[in-house]
Amino acid sequence: MRSDSIKKGLARTPHRGLLMATGVSKSNMDKPFIGIASSFSDLVPGHIGMRDLERQIEKGIHSAGGQSFIFGVPAVCDGIAMGHCGMRYSLPSRDLIADCVETVSEAHQLDGLVLLSNCDKITPGMLIAALRINIPTIVVTAGPMLDGECQGHHKLTMVTGSFEAVGKYRKGEISEDELLAMEEASCPSAGSCQGMYTANTMACLTEILGMSLPFCSSSSAVSALKRRIAFESGMRIVELVKDDIKPADIITKESLRNMITADLALGGSTNTFLHTLAIANAGGIDVTLDDFNELAQKVHQIVKINPSSTLTMADFHYAGGVPAVIKSLNSAKLLNDTKTLSGSTTFEIGEKALIDTSIIPYYKNSAYTKAGLAVLYGNLAKGGCVIKTSGVDSDCYEFCGCAKTFDSEEDAMYALENDLIKEGDVIVIRYEGPKGGPGMREMLAPTSLLVGKGLGKKCALITDGRFSGATRGICVGHIVPEAAEGGEIALVKDGDKIKIDINSQRITLLVSDDELSKRRSELKPFELKCQSGYLAKYAKNVQDASHGAIV
């Protein structure tokens, strides 16, 4: 065992003494040492219930003959960080989390890991660490929260009950009392927010990837099933250590392409482009934006979950969850049969699945014809950009409007709040990319305000920043090159015509090459906004969004 390097032999007497100080008994010294990397936090709704899950995982590890050790990693709530300078830390926290897990695991020579995660950047950060360390590892995602409801408003979510409700209040559609009632009811329990936003998308994709047990992604954070899955994951990690099954055995090009296929079929968060590419990079696996583009030509969506419909993760779970998605996609032979940590292959999980076809139909019976996500290219995004097509009304697949430019999210929010945005506008938010932000902030506040004010189908928003998985509407993000790198988005002027064509996967700035050359000669060099601290280090080292914003 790897941990023998800290507990075997005469020279390790001091080490054993220190381990005994933590409570390890002599009889347990020869057992596999399993770390539980827990992102518990009182600050993050998706993580407040993890103390109970830690206990269940511990019980499983000890029942199977292992010795557990809990250690902490940071967690950021994107919803709370949204709309202010704190959001600059969200994406960079992914790399911080990976570094934390790697550091503790390597420093203490752990034999295996259980990664207890839930929210947006924590799950991908932990998967990046798992591939870097490559010791037996299993992921437990803590699960979605219950649906909210208050009088007159059924099945509220964090988005409909708060972010979009602000726009409805400003438009006069609801009263202040209704707004306050929805605010209080929108997030009624522990768990990740209720829709197919980034947290739940990444949880589903981790399950598809084979790194968590069946139904882990969709079972409610407050359910008995979640507690049982946590216990079973604790049991399973000891078996994985004994059988020496590692993340690199599970996360392969074939399983990552399964992950992309499922992502396109579910219409998940656009953040998954960043995370999938970063995970592939950590494992040295040849998966690029071209894989998304290629598969998007073959795969169409099978189900729409909030924010693209009124269905929530609770509905998704009762319809069969990820195993039902596997069954649906397998009916059209769209997946590879890969290993999973459960001991069953992907195909075997799909074969056993029960499926409610009224929610998750078999692939050929789906009502949709396009993938739920798309990559666009054009003179405005030569390195690519992304859009969540599942959140766009089909009548808006071709949109042409006049640019209104803003050099920060705050400036755009001021314009929206003061009714300076009109039908037909294309809001351009730039200098919010990985380097320019720095940190590539999410734009849920402006996109939600657009929808809430009834402009979701009448305006577009493009940015070199990114979007929450809760975003819907004609919203194009991850524009590469970003403005801070001299990308064409920095050259756009108010009144320029911009055409977004989802059908042909193009985004075009309708300005002549000569005019753009003239504007480029007048463009001032970009100066980093942060000159010290973590964000300064991040901005100096981060790569572009089309390479996963890796550091």
Side-chain angles (χ1 to χ4, degrees):
M1 289 188 292
R2 207 168 81 122
S3 60
D4 287 350
S5 61
I6 63 168
K7 64 188 184 185
K8 289 286 186 182
L10 188 65
R12 296 297 181 249
T13 296
H15 302 67
R16 289 192 296 273
L18 289 166
L19 287 165
M20 287 178 188
T22 71
V24 179
S25 66
K26 284 190 174 182
S27 61
N28 273 16
M29 200 66 73
D30 290 331
K31 293 180 179 179
F33 280 11
I34 309 296
I36 303 171
S38 173
S39 51
F40 165 77
S41 171
D42 281 331
L43 273 169
V44 185
H47 297 234
I48 58 173
M50 286 185 175
R51 284 289 179 244
D52 182 48
L53 296 180
E54 289 169 2
R55 288 184 60 228
Q56 298 303 317
I57 295 167
E58 279 186 310
K59 288 178 182 178
I61 291 169
H62 285 271
S63 296
Q67 169 66 49
S68 67
F69 301 88
I70 297 174
F71 64 93
V73 299
V76 170
C77 176
D78 278 26
I80 296 172
M82 195 74 65
H84 55 86
C85 62
M87 178 47 73
R88 292 196 173 100
Y89 286 88
S90 172
L91 183 59
S93 77
R94 182 188 71 184
D95 296 273
L96 184 63
I97 289 157
D99 291 348
C100 287
V101 174
E102 176 189 351
T103 298
V104 173
S105 301
E106 293 293 272
H108 300 93
Q109 290 293 286
L110 298 173
D111 297 306
L113 284 170
V114 180
L115 305 176
L116 180 55
S117 174
N118 213 21
C119 290
D120 297 28
K121 309 308 168 295
I122 297 92
T123 302
M126 287 183 167
L127 286 169
I128 290 167
L131 277 168
R132 282 188 198 166
I133 308 161
N134 201 33
I135 61 174
T137 302
I138 194 166
V139 180
V140 178
T141 48
M145 67 172 61
L146 301 176
D147 297 344
E149 56 181 82
C150 65
Q151 191 170 14
H153 298 279
H154 179 54
K155 284 180 71 169
L156 289 174
T157 68
M158 176 272 294
V159 175
T160 59
S162 53
F163 279 96
E164 289 181 6
V166 172
K168 290 182 178 179
Y169 169 70
R170 291 183 183 279
K171 196 180 177 186
E173 290 184 3
I174 59 174
S175 67
E176 184 176 358
D177 285 344
E178 283 182 285
L179 177 64
L180 294 175
M182 292 168 74
E183 168 191 309
E184 191 171 349
S186 60
C187 298
S189 75
S192 51
C193 301
Q194 303 97 329
M196 194 62 75
Y197 316 148
T198 306
N200 290 322
T201 304
M202 280 308 306
C204 289
L205 299 187
T206 300
E207 189 178 326
I208 284 273
L209 197 56
M211 287 296 293
S212 60
L213 296 183
F215 299 106
C216 186
S217 62
S218 58
S219 53
S220 163
V222 295
S223 67
L225 176 57
K226 179 61 67 180
R227 298 177 89 233
R228 295 196 299 271
I229 289 172
F231 176 83
E232 289 163 4
S233 297
M235 293 274 289
R236 184 65 183 142
I237 187 59
V238 179
E239 296 171 15
L240 294 172
V241 170
K242 290 175 180 176
D243 294 337
D244 196 30
I245 298 174
K246 300 174 181 177
D249 299 319
I250 305 299
I251 305 175
T252 62
K253 181 165 183 133
E254 290 72 26
S255 64
L256 281 172
R257 282 174 66 88
N258 281 353
M259 181 171 159
I260 294 169
T261 297
D263 199 9
L264 297 168
L266 290 170
S269 166
T270 50
N271 283 311
T272 57
F273 285 86
L274 297 173
H275 301 325
T276 303
L277 296 173
I279 291 164
N281 177 75
I285 302 166
D286 181 23
V287 168
T288 69
L289 208 56
D290 290 340
D291 289 270
F292 279 93
N293 218 10
E294 175 207 334
L295 290 168
Q297 311 303 317
K298 304 173 182 176
V299 179
H300 63 66
Q301 195 159 8
I302 58 172
V303 59
K304 288 192 177 186
I305 309 295
N306 184 278
S308 303
S309 78
T310 58
L311 296 172
T312 62
M313 286 300 293
D315 300 306
F316 178 71
H317 177 70
Y318 296 133
V322 166
V325 171
I326 293 171
K327 189 166 200 164
S328 174
L329 293 172
N330 267 352
S331 70
K333 297 184 171 63
L334 289 170
L335 296 177
N336 303 299
D337 195 17
T338 55
K339 294 179 182 177
T340 79
L341 294 180
S342 69
S344 299
T345 69
T346 303
F347 284 10
E348 288 168 345
I349 290 171
E351 285 169 6
K352 297 174 186 174
L354 300 175
I355 182 169
D356 180 350
T357 55
S358 68
I359 293 177
I360 303 174
Y362 285 103
Y363 185 79
K364 291 180 180 177
N365 297 332
S366 168
Y368 310 109
T369 58
K370 285 192 174 293
L373 300 163
V375 182
L376 311 182
Y377 290 94
N379 68 341
L380 193 50
K382 294 176 181 177
C385 57
V386 301
I387 187 167
K388 183 171 181 168
T389 52
S390 63
V392 181
D393 190 280
S394 58
D395 294 339
C396 304
Y397 276 11
E398 292 186 17
F399 185 92
C400 189
C402 295
K404 283 198 175 174
T405 59
F406 305 95
D407 289 349
S408 71
E409 179 188 3
E410 287 81 0
D411 289 348
M413 281 297 292
Y414 177 86
L416 277 162
E417 289 170 344
N418 290 277
D419 298 322
L420 302 178
I421 302 299
K422 307 297 181 187
E423 181 176 336
D425 286 343
V426 178
I427 303 166
V428 179
I429 304 178
R430 57 197 177 191
Y431 296 102
E432 290 287 7
K435 187 179 292 292
M440 204 178 183
R441 288 194 287 180
E442 288 184 345
M443 304 291 163
L444 181 59
T447 60
S448 296
L449 196 52
L450 265 178
V451 172
K453 295 181 80 167
L455 294 172
K457 299 178 185 178
K458 300 172 183 177
C459 293
L461 190 154
I462 69 170
T463 180
D464 53 9
R466 60 195 177 90
F467 298 118
S468 163
T471 291
R472 59 190 173 113
I474 314 163
C475 301
V476 180
H478 305 197
I479 287 180
V480 176
E482 62 173 296
E485 296 277 22
E488 280 67 17
I489 190 172
L491 308 179
V492 181
K493 290 187 176 182
D494 288 351
D496 287 350
K497 291 276 189 181
I498 294 174
K499 184 177 181 181
I500 300 163
D501 188 343
I502 293 173
N503 290 315
S504 63
Q505 295 183 267
R506 304 294 296 173
I507 181 167
T508 309
L509 175 61
L510 300 175
V511 174
S512 70
D513 291 343
D514 289 344
E515 175 61 21
L516 290 177
S517 295
K518 179 187 173 191
R519 292 182 189 180
R520 182 171 297 285
S521 68
E522 299 167 352
L523 189 65
K524 295 178 181 178
F526 174 74
E527 293 184 11
L528 291 177
K529 294 176 186 175
C530 297
Q531 297 299 322
S532 63
Y534 181 53
L535 291 182
K537 181 170 68 173
Y538 181 84
K540 290 173 184 174
N541 292 286
V542 68
Q543 294 189 37
D544 65 48
S546 291
H547 291 87
I550 56 174
V551 174

